[in-house]
Amino acid sequence: MARAGGITNAVNVGIAVQADWEDREFISSLNVRRLFEFLLQFEATTKSKLACLNEKLDVLERRLEVLEVQISTATSNPSVFT
C-alpha cells in the first residue's frame, strides 16, 4: 500500500512539474510576444518622428540656402541695400 501511494505521489509531482514547465514556457513566449509588439510599435513611432524631423530639417536647409544667396548677393553688390 505504501508503495502504491509513493508511486501515485511521484506521478502527481511529475504532472505538477510538467504543468509548471508548460506554464513557464507559455509565460516566456507571452513575454517575447509583448516585447516583439513593443518593438514594432517603437519602430513605427520612431520612423514617424524621424520623418517629421527630416521634413523640418529640409525646410531649415532651404531657408539657409536662401540666406546664403542673399548674403552672397549683398557682399558682391552692396549697392542693392543702400
Side-chain angles (χ1 to χ4, degrees):
M1 250 328 159
R3 183 177 177 140
I7 292 173
T8 302
N9 190 29
V11 169
N12 288 340
V13 169
I15 291 170
V17 168
Q18 181 66 32
D20 181 61
W21 185 260
E22 290 171 0
D23 288 345
R24 289 173 189 251
E25 286 179 338
F26 174 75
I27 290 169
S28 177
S29 67
L30 184 62
N31 287 337
V32 169
R33 182 177 177 189
R34 286 181 182 159
L35 177 62
F36 182 73
E37 289 172 356
F38 166 77
L39 290 174
L40 287 176
Q41 181 64 35
F42 179 78
E43 178 190 24
T45 302
T46 304
K47 281 184 177 181
S48 173
K49 288 180 179 181
L50 285 174
C52 182
L53 286 173
N54 193 41
E55 289 175 15
K56 290 178 180 180
L57 183 58
D58 288 342
V59 169
L60 289 173
E61 286 174 340
R62 286 191 295 267
R63 286 182 184 171
L64 181 60
E65 289 172 359
V66 168
L67 290 173
E68 287 173 342
V69 168
Q70 289 175 347
I71 290 171
S72 174
T73 303
T75 56
S76 65
N77 190 4
S79 64
V80 172
F81 294 100
T82 57

